Structure formats: C-alpha cells, structure tokens
C-alpha cells in the first residue's frame, strides 16, 4: 500500500453512494480529526488507527472501523465525550455525522473503496480493493 498523505477523495460504497472524503494521515490531522467542528460534509478517513474518542466534539458521530482491505469490521454511533474501544484488526477509521453511514449503506462486512484526489503526488491513486474484489 502506498504512503498516505492528508488530502481529499471519494468514498464509494458498493451499490450505493459516492461520498466526499477528507483524509487525515499526518499526526496533526489525525489528532485533530473532527474536533472543533460543527459538522462534516461527507466523511473523514483517519488512517493508521484502530480507536477514536469524542472528547471535545460538538456532535454525535458514526464510526466505522476498517481492516487493511477496507472491509468494515463494525459501525458504532458515539456521542460527545466518549472513548471508543480498540479494534485489534482495525487499521483505519471512517467518521461521519450520526446516521450518515447507515444511509450510505456502510455496515459490517461491506468493503468500501477510497479514491484519493488530493495531497502531494496522490492524483488518481486508489487505496482499497478493486471493484468486484
């Protein structure tokens, strides 16, 4: 898998939505996440993590834990001020406003696709399984 960089892209759910995506790869971006925001347009992918918290958040979020092949291990809704459980097989976390992931068809067992369009040297690079895999 290629080196991750902060940027933007698209999250694609099989048979469903194509959602605007923000990628948090640097230490600073991963640490900040959605803190200090009043909402998120689309979703945030935090790479190289298997746990999150919502301390200091202003709104409830859906959290999908992804394995290295971008298969969803579990989806939970977290209210502000909570500490999420560590998912040992988790490699990435997808965050969105509460209720959004279910609306997009993101649930345990589904493989999502991440197409990256932003960040240095990342134009057109795709991370995750190829369609039909």
């Amino acid at each position: 898998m290629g080196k991750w960089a902060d940027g933007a892209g698209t999250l694609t759910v099989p048979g469903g939505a194509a959602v605007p995506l923000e990628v948090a790869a640097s230490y600073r971006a991963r640490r900040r996440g959605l803190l200090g925001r009043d909402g998120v347009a689309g979703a945030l992918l935090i790479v190289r993590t298997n746990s999150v918290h919502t301390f200091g958040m202003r709104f409830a979020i859906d959290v999908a834990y992804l394995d290295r092949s971008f298969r969803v291990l579990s989806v939970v809704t977290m209210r502000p001020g909570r500490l999420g459980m560590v998912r040992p097989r988790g490699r990435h976390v997808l965050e969105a406003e509460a209720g959004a992931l279910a609306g997009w068809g993101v649930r345990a067992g589904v493989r999502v696709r991440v197409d990256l369009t932003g960040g240095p040297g990342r134009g057109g690079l795709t991370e995750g399984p190829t369609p039909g895999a």
Side-chain angles (χ1 to χ4, degrees), residues 53-61 78-83:
H53 68 84
T54 58
F55 298 118
M57 300 262 322
R58 297 179 182 164
F59 58 98
I61 59 172
M78 294 177 64
R79 294 180 305 194
R82 303 287 186 242
L83 179 62

Side-chain angles (χ1 to χ4, degrees), residues 38-95:
D38 292 322
V40 59
L44 174 69
L45 177 68
I46 304 174
V47 299
R48 298 183 314 266
T49 192
N50 61 3
S51 181
V52 295
H53 68 84
T54 58
F55 298 118
M57 300 262 322
R58 297 179 182 164
F59 58 98
I61 59 172
D62 283 344
V63 177
Y65 295 90
L66 310 174
D67 67 11
R68 65 182 47 162
S69 66
F70 292 84
R71 184 177 304 275
V72 178
L73 299 172
S74 65
V75 178
V76 297
T77 300
M78 294 177 64
R79 294 180 305 194
R82 303 287 186 242
L83 179 62
M85 292 179 53
V86 173
R87 299 300 195 274
R89 291 184 336 187
R91 295 296 178 265
H92 313 289
V93 171
L94 188 64
E95 296 181 346

